[in-house]
Amino acid sequence: MDKINAWEKYPQGQRDTIMQFGEKYRQFISGCKTERECTAKFVHMAKNAGFSDMEEIIASGEALKPGDKVYAVNKGKGLAMYVIGQEPIERGMNILGAHIDSPRLDLKQNPLYEDTQMAMLDTHYYGGVKKYQWVALPLALHGVFVKKDGTVIPVSIGDKPGDPVFGVSDLLIHLAGEQMEKKAGKVIEGENLDLLIGSIPAEKEEKKEDCVKANILHLLEQEFQIGEEDFVSAEIEVVPAGEARDYGLDRSMIMGYGHDDRVCAYPSFQAMLDLAEAPQRTSVCLLVDKEEIGSVGATGMKSRFFENMTAEVMQAAGQYSELALRRALAASKVLSSDVSAAFDPNFASVSDKKNAAYFGKGLVFNKYTGSRGKSGSNDANPEYIAHLREILDKNEVSYQTSELGKVDQGGGGTIAYILAEYGMEVIDSGVAVLNMHAPWEIISKVDLYEAYRGYQVFLTQA
């Protein structure tokens, strides 16, 4: 089946809305490069849109009613948003689930050292990366230091005007004969992804070892009031420096860091914000951490945060019982909003053209992901897919279907299978991405907009 290019639905004079939505998103991913930054931004926007903090609802004993809007934050690195529907929650929810973590480099707990009068930071890569892509790039530091007294000190260096940047050096081509003979996975080793951050010795009367490191520590103390021991309780992420940019002469695309998966998180969140009235079924936007490393930990999808918070919401709505909670989860419908691999003409051999995602063809549905015979995937039920087709076609939302490459070519996973364990109807849906998991990824603005429109339809009509 050949789908029309979604741009064709919008004559030249009607494309401003798409471009404006794309610009708001571009600004968002330019300023939100970590889970903490995304969560803080979303909370700020939710409050301005009339959402209330569930912690305050619980503390006050306030009752929730249809149309009420609430949010809950999970340790500063994820959140759940609810708009209470007209039907009892026990009958199920419409859930948009996405993740807000992205591949990157993390600082180790004891990262700072000096070698040949160069100050370096030792890193450990996070998620699936091609390590050779992270060298010879301008990089920034984003995150927090937490002192022993509980004080949280935010750090963001490399993205503000006038900021210095950092980087991982690469070997010059003139001396790289042996390096160039290595397989791509070994060209840059994980232990060699160390960040160069300084080269000026501290001002000392006596010559002393590690004087460049001492100068860096002095600067950190001056700027952030932190010492070397504070790295032990820090969470500092190394990310590409610079803003997301319009891509292409026609400005139809956006190149930026972290499209996977913020390009799905943002329209999911915005669709929730734009609900005009109480939906029939309770609407939920669930934004989680740690998907790139298996959805583990207290902030990942495998935690009980969502289940526990849904119980709290049902209690505040006067609808809670253990059985009602189980029924609510089992009766829910989910769009696991995660990106899909866009067809790349430069690497056509890895894709089945009949079952690939294309720029400009709209929201992408992956019936299954996984690898080696769909291993580890959620394989969506055809009845659910048929229902989604009906409501999307009725509302003229552009969508397409895809697989993640040819059979036995590779594979991947999302949070879909975890939500499916409750008995929910789940399918992966999101935006097609070029350069996925690279420092700079590319998406189509019209696909982003069609995802937003599709998520709106799902929340109100699924």
PDB file of all heavy atoms in Angstrom, residues 20-38:
ATOM      1  N   GLN A  20       5.030  26.032  12.842  1.00  0.00           N
ATOM      2  CA  GLN A  20       4.994  26.605  14.188  1.00  0.00           C
ATOM      3  C   GLN A  20       5.097  25.521  15.252  1.00  0.00           C
ATOM      4  O   GLN A  20       5.801  25.682  16.257  1.00  0.00           O
ATOM      5  CB  GLN A  20       3.708  27.421  14.368  1.00  0.00           C
ATOM      6  CG  GLN A  20       3.689  28.712  13.563  1.00  0.00           C
ATOM      7  CD  GLN A  20       2.311  29.342  13.494  1.00  0.00           C
ATOM      8  OE1 GLN A  20       1.367  28.879  14.156  1.00  0.00           O
ATOM      9  NE2 GLN A  20       2.171  30.387  12.692  1.00  0.00           N
ATOM     10  N   PHE A  21       4.398  24.410  15.038  1.00  0.00           N
ATOM     11  CA  PHE A  21       4.490  23.303  15.982  1.00  0.00           C
ATOM     12  C   PHE A  21       5.918  22.749  15.999  1.00  0.00           C
ATOM     13  O   PHE A  21       6.474  22.454  17.062  1.00  0.00           O
ATOM     14  CB  PHE A  21       3.500  22.193  15.596  1.00  0.00           C
ATOM     15  CG  PHE A  21       3.330  21.134  16.651  1.00  0.00           C
ATOM     16  CD1 PHE A  21       2.424  21.319  17.684  1.00  0.00           C
ATOM     17  CD2 PHE A  21       4.067  19.956  16.607  1.00  0.00           C
ATOM     18  CE1 PHE A  21       2.256  20.342  18.662  1.00  0.00           C
ATOM     19  CE2 PHE A  21       3.913  18.985  17.581  1.00  0.00           C
ATOM     20  CZ  PHE A  21       3.000  19.178  18.609  1.00  0.00           C
ATOM     21  N   GLY A  22       6.517  22.626  14.823  1.00  0.00           N
ATOM     22  CA  GLY A  22       7.893  22.154  14.731  1.00  0.00           C
ATOM     23  C   GLY A  22       8.866  23.080  15.437  1.00  0.00           C
ATOM     24  O   GLY A  22       9.819  22.623  16.085  1.00  0.00           O
ATOM     25  N   GLU A  23       8.641  24.393  15.343  1.00  0.00           N
ATOM     26  CA  GLU A  23       9.536  25.351  15.991  1.00  0.00           C
ATOM     27  C   GLU A  23       9.440  25.261  17.510  1.00  0.00           C
ATOM     28  O   GLU A  23      10.455  25.343  18.208  1.00  0.00           O
ATOM     29  CB  GLU A  23       9.219  26.766  15.519  1.00  0.00           C
ATOM     30  CG  GLU A  23      10.017  27.864  16.209  1.00  0.00           C
ATOM     31  CD  GLU A  23      11.524  27.727  16.074  1.00  0.00           C
ATOM     32  OE1 GLU A  23      11.987  26.998  15.174  1.00  0.00           O
ATOM     33  OE2 GLU A  23      12.245  28.358  16.882  1.00  0.00           O
ATOM     34  N   LYS A  24       8.238  25.082  18.035  1.00  0.00           N
ATOM     35  CA  LYS A  24       8.085  24.923  19.490  1.00  0.00           C
ATOM     36  C   LYS A  24       8.806  23.666  19.963  1.00  0.00           C
ATOM     37  O   LYS A  24       9.461  23.662  21.010  1.00  0.00           O
ATOM     38  CB  LYS A  24       6.600  24.863  19.859  1.00  0.00           C
ATOM     39  CG  LYS A  24       5.886  26.192  19.724  1.00  0.00           C
ATOM     40  CD  LYS A  24       4.415  26.061  20.097  1.00  0.00           C
ATOM     41  CE  LYS A  24       3.695  27.403  19.959  1.00  0.00           C
ATOM     42  NZ  LYS A  24       2.247  27.291  20.279  1.00  0.00           N
ATOM     43  N   TYR A  25       8.681  22.608  19.180  1.00  0.00           N
ATOM     44  CA  TYR A  25       9.388  21.373  19.531  1.00  0.00           C
ATOM     45  C   TYR A  25      10.899  21.555  19.434  1.00  0.00           C
ATOM     46  O   TYR A  25      11.644  21.087  20.303  1.00  0.00           O
ATOM     47  CB  TYR A  25       8.930  20.232  18.622  1.00  0.00           C
ATOM     48  CG  TYR A  25       9.812  19.009  18.737  1.00  0.00           C
ATOM     49  CD1 TYR A  25       9.829  18.233  19.889  1.00  0.00           C
ATOM     50  CD2 TYR A  25      10.666  18.649  17.692  1.00  0.00           C
ATOM     51  CE1 TYR A  25      10.655  17.134  20.008  1.00  0.00           C
ATOM     52  CE2 TYR A  25      11.498  17.545  17.803  1.00  0.00           C
ATOM     53  CZ  TYR A  25      11.483  16.792  18.966  1.00  0.00           C
ATOM     54  OH  TYR A  25      12.323  15.706  19.084  1.00  0.00           O
ATOM     55  N   ARG A  26      11.363  22.243  18.386  1.00  0.00           N
ATOM     56  CA  ARG A  26      12.801  22.476  18.229  1.00  0.00           C
ATOM     57  C   ARG A  26      13.365  23.217  19.435  1.00  0.00           C
ATOM     58  O   ARG A  26      14.440  22.880  19.947  1.00  0.00           O
ATOM     59  CB  ARG A  26      13.075  23.273  16.946  1.00  0.00           C
ATOM     60  CG  ARG A  26      14.558  23.410  16.609  1.00  0.00           C
ATOM     61  CD  ARG A  26      14.809  24.523  15.599  1.00  0.00           C
ATOM     62  NE  ARG A  26      14.522  25.830  16.167  1.00  0.00           N
ATOM     63  CZ  ARG A  26      15.335  26.491  16.987  1.00  0.00           C
ATOM     64  NH1 ARG A  26      16.511  25.965  17.339  1.00  0.00           N
ATOM     65  NH2 ARG A  26      14.999  27.664  17.458  1.00  0.00           N
ATOM     66  N   GLN A  27      12.644  24.202  19.908  1.00  0.00           N
ATOM     67  CA  GLN A  27      13.085  24.935  21.091  1.00  0.00           C
ATOM     68  C   GLN A  27      13.095  24.039  22.320  1.00  0.00           C
ATOM     69  O   GLN A  27      13.995  24.132  23.165  1.00  0.00           O
ATOM     70  CB  GLN A  27      12.182  26.150  21.322  1.00  0.00           C
ATOM     71  CG  GLN A  27      12.308  27.224  20.248  1.00  0.00           C
ATOM     72  CD  GLN A  27      11.363  28.384  20.482  1.00  0.00           C
ATOM     73  OE1 GLN A  27      10.816  28.568  21.566  1.00  0.00           O
ATOM     74  NE2 GLN A  27      11.134  29.184  19.449  1.00  0.00           N
ATOM     75  N   PHE A  28      12.097  23.162  22.408  1.00  0.00           N
ATOM     76  CA  PHE A  28      12.024  22.249  23.551  1.00  0.00           C
ATOM     77  C   PHE A  28      13.230  21.320  23.610  1.00  0.00           C
ATOM     78  O   PHE A  28      13.890  21.213  24.651  1.00  0.00           O
ATOM     79  CB  PHE A  28      10.729  21.430  23.487  1.00  0.00           C
ATOM     80  CG  PHE A  28      10.707  20.259  24.421  1.00  0.00           C
ATOM     81  CD1 PHE A  28      10.506  20.435  25.778  1.00  0.00           C
ATOM     82  CD2 PHE A  28      10.917  18.962  23.939  1.00  0.00           C
ATOM     83  CE1 PHE A  28      10.503  19.353  26.648  1.00  0.00           C
ATOM     84  CE2 PHE A  28      10.919  17.880  24.794  1.00  0.00           C
ATOM     85  CZ  PHE A  28      10.712  18.077  26.162  1.00  0.00           C
ATOM     86  N   ILE A  29      13.550  20.635  22.518  1.00  0.00           N
ATOM     87  CA  ILE A  29      14.667  19.689  22.596  1.00  0.00           C
ATOM     88  C   ILE A  29      16.018  20.395  22.659  1.00  0.00           C
ATOM     89  O   ILE A  29      16.998  19.816  23.129  1.00  0.00           O
ATOM     90  CB  ILE A  29      14.679  18.651  21.447  1.00  0.00           C
ATOM     91  CG1 ILE A  29      14.752  19.306  20.073  1.00  0.00           C
ATOM     92  CG2 ILE A  29      13.508  17.726  21.545  1.00  0.00           C
ATOM     93  CD1 ILE A  29      15.118  18.321  18.985  1.00  0.00           C
ATOM     94  N   SER A  30      16.057  21.659  22.222  1.00  0.00           N
ATOM     95  CA  SER A  30      17.303  22.412  22.367  1.00  0.00           C
ATOM     96  C   SER A  30      17.599  22.714  23.826  1.00  0.00           C
ATOM     97  O   SER A  30      18.764  22.756  24.239  1.00  0.00           O
ATOM     98  CB  SER A  30      17.222  23.726  21.577  1.00  0.00           C
ATOM     99  OG  SER A  30      17.153  23.492  20.194  1.00  0.00           O
ATOM    100  N   GLY A  31      16.549  22.928  24.619  1.00  0.00           N
ATOM    101  CA  GLY A  31      16.732  23.292  26.017  1.00  0.00           C
ATOM    102  C   GLY A  31      16.593  22.162  26.999  1.00  0.00           C
ATOM    103  O   GLY A  31      16.902  22.334  28.188  1.00  0.00           O
ATOM    104  N   CYS A  32      16.131  21.004  26.553  1.00  0.00           N
ATOM    105  CA  CYS A  32      15.870  19.866  27.454  1.00  0.00           C
ATOM    106  C   CYS A  32      16.634  18.646  26.945  1.00  0.00           C
ATOM    107  O   CYS A  32      16.132  17.895  26.102  1.00  0.00           O
ATOM    108  CB  CYS A  32      14.378  19.573  27.532  1.00  0.00           C
ATOM    109  SG  CYS A  32      13.410  20.941  28.200  1.00  0.00           S
ATOM    110  N   LYS A  33      17.844  18.453  27.473  1.00  0.00           N
ATOM    111  CA  LYS A  33      18.718  17.392  26.971  1.00  0.00           C
ATOM    112  C   LYS A  33      18.897  16.241  27.956  1.00  0.00           C
ATOM    113  O   LYS A  33      19.645  15.298  27.666  1.00  0.00           O
ATOM    114  CB  LYS A  33      20.075  17.973  26.594  1.00  0.00           C
ATOM    115  CG  LYS A  33      20.000  18.930  25.405  1.00  0.00           C
ATOM    116  CD  LYS A  33      21.367  19.361  24.927  1.00  0.00           C
ATOM    117  CE  LYS A  33      21.267  20.221  23.673  1.00  0.00           C
ATOM    118  NZ  LYS A  33      22.586  20.623  23.157  1.00  0.00           N
ATOM    119  N   THR A  34      18.251  16.313  29.109  1.00  0.00           N
ATOM    120  CA  THR A  34      18.293  15.213  30.072  1.00  0.00           C
ATOM    121  C   THR A  34      16.883  14.931  30.556  1.00  0.00           C
ATOM    122  O   THR A  34      15.961  15.733  30.370  1.00  0.00           O
ATOM    123  CB  THR A  34      19.177  15.549  31.292  1.00  0.00           C
ATOM    124  OG1 THR A  34      18.506  16.539  32.092  1.00  0.00           O
ATOM    125  CG2 THR A  34      20.547  16.057  30.864  1.00  0.00           C
ATOM    126  N   GLU A  35      16.714  13.797  31.226  1.00  0.00           N
ATOM    127  CA  GLU A  35      15.404  13.445  31.782  1.00  0.00           C
ATOM    128  C   GLU A  35      14.947  14.473  32.802  1.00  0.00           C
ATOM    129  O   GLU A  35      13.764  14.824  32.877  1.00  0.00           O
ATOM    130  CB  GLU A  35      15.436  12.065  32.445  1.00  0.00           C
ATOM    131  CG  GLU A  35      16.147  10.977  31.649  1.00  0.00           C
ATOM    132  CD  GLU A  35      17.640  10.976  31.894  1.00  0.00           C
ATOM    133  OE1 GLU A  35      18.098  10.407  32.904  1.00  0.00           O
ATOM    134  OE2 GLU A  35      18.354  11.567  31.072  1.00  0.00           O
ATOM    135  N   ARG A  36      15.894  14.938  33.632  1.00  0.00           N
ATOM    136  CA  ARG A  36      15.535  15.934  34.646  1.00  0.00           C
ATOM    137  C   ARG A  36      15.067  17.236  34.009  1.00  0.00           C
ATOM    138  O   ARG A  36      14.092  17.856  34.464  1.00  0.00           O
ATOM    139  CB  ARG A  36      16.736  16.204  35.561  1.00  0.00           C
ATOM    140  CG  ARG A  36      17.095  15.057  36.480  1.00  0.00           C
ATOM    141  CD  ARG A  36      18.331  15.376  37.309  1.00  0.00           C
ATOM    142  NE  ARG A  36      18.739  14.258  38.129  1.00  0.00           N
ATOM    143  CZ  ARG A  36      18.302  14.037  39.381  1.00  0.00           C
ATOM    144  NH1 ARG A  36      17.460  14.886  39.934  1.00  0.00           N
ATOM    145  NH2 ARG A  36      18.716  12.993  40.054  1.00  0.00           N
ATOM    146  N   GLU A  37      15.760  17.666  32.965  1.00  0.00           N
ATOM    147  CA  GLU A  37      15.382  18.912  32.301  1.00  0.00           C
ATOM    148  C   GLU A  37      14.029  18.774  31.611  1.00  0.00           C
ATOM    149  O   GLU A  37      13.206  19.706  31.649  1.00  0.00           O
ATOM    150  CB  GLU A  37      16.469  19.323  31.310  1.00  0.00           C
ATOM    151  CG  GLU A  37      17.763  19.764  31.989  1.00  0.00           C
ATOM    152  CD  GLU A  37      18.927  19.928  31.043  1.00  0.00           C
ATOM    153  OE1 GLU A  37      18.834  19.486  29.875  1.00  0.00           O
ATOM    154  OE2 GLU A  37      19.956  20.496  31.479  1.00  0.00           O
ATOM    155  N   CYS A  38      13.787  17.630  30.978  1.00  0.00           N
ATOM    156  CA  CYS A  38      12.485  17.392  30.342  1.00  0.00           C
ATOM    157  C   CYS A  38      11.370  17.412  31.381  1.00  0.00           C
ATOM    158  O   CYS A  38      10.325  18.048  31.185  1.00  0.00           O
ATOM    159  CB  CYS A  38      12.490  16.047  29.618  1.00  0.00           C
ATOM    160  SG  CYS A  38      13.480  15.990  28.118  1.00  0.00           S
TER     161      CYS A  38
END
